[in-house]
Amino acid sequence: MKKKNLLVILLAAIALTACVDSVENSNGSDGFDTHDAGSKIAFTEKTVPVNRGGKEATPVKLRFYEDQPNVAYISASNFHHMMLPQQQLTVNRTGDSYELNSHDGQAVVNISNDTFTSDDFEAFTNMQSLTGQNLPNIEYDESGFVRFKSIKKTPETARVTFDFQKYGIDLRGDQTDVYFPFTLLNNLYTDISLRTAGFNGERIVISVDAEESPLQLVDSTFTITSFLRESIPADLAKYRYKDLCFVMDKILGHTKRSPYESQRIAIGLDKMLESQGEEGLTVKKLLQSTNTAEFVLGMQALQYYLDDGGHTWLNISRYCPKSALPSVNQRVEKVRSAYPVAARLADEGSKTPLGKQSLEKQMNTVREQVLGKGRYFKKGNTVLCVVYTFEELDWNGWKNYYSGGPKPTLEKTPNDEILNFYKAWQQASADPEVENFIIDCSSNMGGSLDILTAFTSILYNDTYCHYINTMTNQACVCDYDVDRNLDGKYDDKDKEVTNRLNVGLLCSACTWSCGNLCTARLKELGALIIGETSGGGSCAITHMATPDGLNYRISTFRNHATYNGGQSVDPGIEPHKKLDRVNHPESFYDLEALGKMMDEYYKK
């Protein structure tokens, strides 16, 4: 996603306070232990520094209970205010039940049975007010040339209940507030805009937008602290596995790609691993290990069971800063020798996402060999416009432009995808010879929905996004406004933008994520799709942090893209005209042949 260098802050002073907290617990299940009912557990409180988006923020108080002295807990109200400084979460207690009211939604927490219930979960955890606009919890990247218009959900509301007792996770409370393990509460809030928080045992780091996620982009030393630890305490390792199981059971999106997905959904990650014999038990052992290198290998091996084509990426060493990577790799290599079963699974699990990256390079190389360097290629009545990605954009420039600043230019940001697309489309539209406009997404691995929405609006005056929330099974239709002429204004002149060109799209097996969604949307709108079945991908992603401060990435439940009729686009899109990439990759860039396909299709 978008990146920039951010400041690193120094540690603040630590204050400890001895207290006693009254909690209610019950015996857990699924092999997880909880405490006896009615126990009173002493705790200490530690005030830790907070780096929020590269800036020092108000320190936060964490609790550490004597039965889990290394597992950080935080009150619901403190966490909410930490993530949304302009808001307050109100907490009303009735016995063991705590009613939580945020700016947008409500939830009820019960500490006697460790449950969390909300009829408007996405509203309760909505952090889109950080964009400065009154937005619901949707996918929106603040490009400036796209803005939210409306959303419709069917059904309008859906109850969400989390049973943390199943995982042996205790929710605790006092007279005024309810306390969650820090990472657990962050699991509930982390959103599509990649806002997330982590605690590495020393400090909290928060990313407040996609430009600075994952967390090492906010604080380059944050994950080094975690990676360089040889091991973590046993209580933290035990909780880390519980937290991971909850995430993979409840927060991970359902893509129907992995052959193990239905089993994971039915019985949970823990039981699914146990059912896989020696292989699964080995992975579970590594995921429960106190040894950092063993846990890293366990996550790499878990990728085999959860691989969804590339959105879920559990190779957490990829988030390790370069300065610490040689040491980490050396330690992991020793672990691989000790656990060859896990090493084999890790290698198998990485083939799909690494294969897409390799194919991306191959397609770019073949295109350059056939057509040369550039983004705009014309032959006869046909133009090919290369769209490498939906990520590259002068994000700050566009936001400033819609706040009254100068318009971004290709001179300053030559890889800006919306500027390159608009220039190519205008050039083709102004050329009387040109009838066919083919968008080349054959090496497009995805990116921002904002850019895709601008494309469909300019070409087809269509601004809708259809998706399913896989946690609540709500079908959603989101509509946006687009500044179709990119003049910095939303006005009637946008209605004057029309497209006279025949539209086509070129796709390959590495056309992934938003590249895949663009293929689906244009096919649905009537464009000719040429190439091979696209690589698929439908879920938006979110970045997560383990309780000891390691980063990983998963598909989120919040947005699973569909066609207008509700059918998933995840399996990939079949082209109208097929090309043989394996034997004849050069055929993807034969402009004369592509032009004939366009002529034939649109004559019909």
Side-chain angles (χ1 to χ4, degrees), residues 328-340:
V328 172
N329 286 341
Q330 185 178 30
R331 287 153 53 201
V332 173
E333 194 60 37
K334 291 181 179 178
V335 175
R336 284 173 61 92
S337 299
Y339 295 95

Side-chain angles (χ1 to χ4, degrees), residues 70 200 224-237 240 288-296 331 548 550:
N70 297 286
N200 67 355
I224 289 180
T225 301
S226 302
F227 275 114
L228 292 184
R229 292 191 190 107
E230 291 288 339
S231 62
I232 62 174
D235 65 313
L236 185 56
R240 182 171 64 183
Q288 292 177 313
S289 175
T290 60
N291 182 281
T292 300
E294 290 185 357
F295 179 75
V296 170
R331 287 153 53 201
D548 55 326
L550 297 170

Side-chain angles (χ1 to χ4, degrees), residues 259-280:
Y260 302 94
E261 182 170 291
S262 59
Q263 189 177 16
R264 174 183 59 81
I265 294 171
I267 63 176
L269 176 68
D270 182 61
K271 294 298 185 184
M272 186 273 285
L273 289 176
E274 290 182 351
S275 71
Q276 300 306 309
E278 179 189 2
E279 291 183 352

Side-chain angles (χ1 to χ4, degrees), residues 33-48:
D33 296 327
T34 56
H35 297 283
D36 295 333
S39 60
K40 293 181 180 292
I41 304 173
F43 62 85
T44 58
E45 289 187 334
K46 183 165 73 172
T47 301
V48 301

Side-chain angles (χ1 to χ4, degrees), residues 289-497:
S289 175
T290 60
N291 182 281
T292 300
E294 290 185 357
F295 179 75
V296 170
L297 178 60
M299 289 291 279
Q300 292 173 351
L302 184 61
Q303 178 75 27
Y304 172 79
Y305 293 109
L306 303 183
D307 179 46
D308 56 14
H311 280 146
T312 297
W313 193 219
L314 305 180
N315 183 6
I316 56 180
S317 60
R318 75 189 297 268
Y319 297 115
C320 179
K322 291 182 179 179
S323 60
L325 191 56
S327 171
V328 172
N329 286 341
Q330 185 178 30
R331 287 153 53 201
V332 173
E333 194 60 37
K334 291 181 179 178
V335 175
R336 284 173 61 92
S337 299
Y339 295 95
V341 169
R344 178 176 57 80
L345 292 177
D347 292 341
E348 286 292 323
S350 67
K351 284 183 177 179
T352 300
L354 291 179
K356 281 190 172 66
Q357 294 173 12
S358 176
L359 181 55
E360 175 191 18
K361 294 178 182 178
Q362 175 191 338
M363 299 307 289
N364 285 331
T365 299
V366 173
R367 182 194 300 111
E368 188 171 326
Q369 290 172 346
V370 175
L371 297 175
K373 294 182 178 180
R375 288 174 173 266
Y376 186 93
F377 303 97
K378 175 188 172 184
K379 191 172 185 65
N381 67 344
T382 301
V383 162
L384 186 74
C385 168
V386 181
V387 180
Y388 288 102
T389 175
F390 287 113
E391 285 191 16
E392 290 291 338
L393 201 71
D394 182 4
W395 294 97
N396 288 328
W398 282 106
K399 283 187 278 189
N400 291 336
Y401 175 51
Y402 285 89
S403 297
K407 187 175 182 177
T409 64
L410 286 172
E411 287 72 26
K412 289 186 177 181
T413 51
N415 293 323
D416 187 297
E417 292 293 351
I418 192 66
L419 286 176
N420 278 290
F421 168 80
Y422 205 78
K423 177 184 177 182
W425 175 71
Q426 284 188 312
Q427 183 177 342
S429 299
D431 188 335
E433 289 184 343
V434 177
E435 297 177 349
N436 304 319
F437 186 73
I438 302 176
I439 300 172
D440 180 5
C441 286
S442 60
S443 60
N444 191 311
M445 295 278 284
S448 170
L449 180 66
D450 281 19
I451 302 175
L452 165 57
T453 302
F455 281 23
T456 59
S457 178
I458 291 167
L459 297 174
Y460 287 100
N461 195 22
D462 184 279
T463 55
Y464 292 94
C465 175
H466 299 264
Y467 65 93
I468 290 176
N469 180 316
T470 65
M471 178 186 290
T472 63
N473 290 319
Q474 289 171 287
C476 306
V477 182
C478 201
D479 191 15
Y480 300 86
D481 286 322
V482 175
D483 178 18
R484 302 177 70 211
N485 57 11
L486 301 180
D487 66 353
K489 302 175 183 177
Y490 290 87
D491 54 26
D492 288 341
K493 290 183 179 180
D494 294 318
K495 299 177 183 178
E496 298 174 5
V497 175

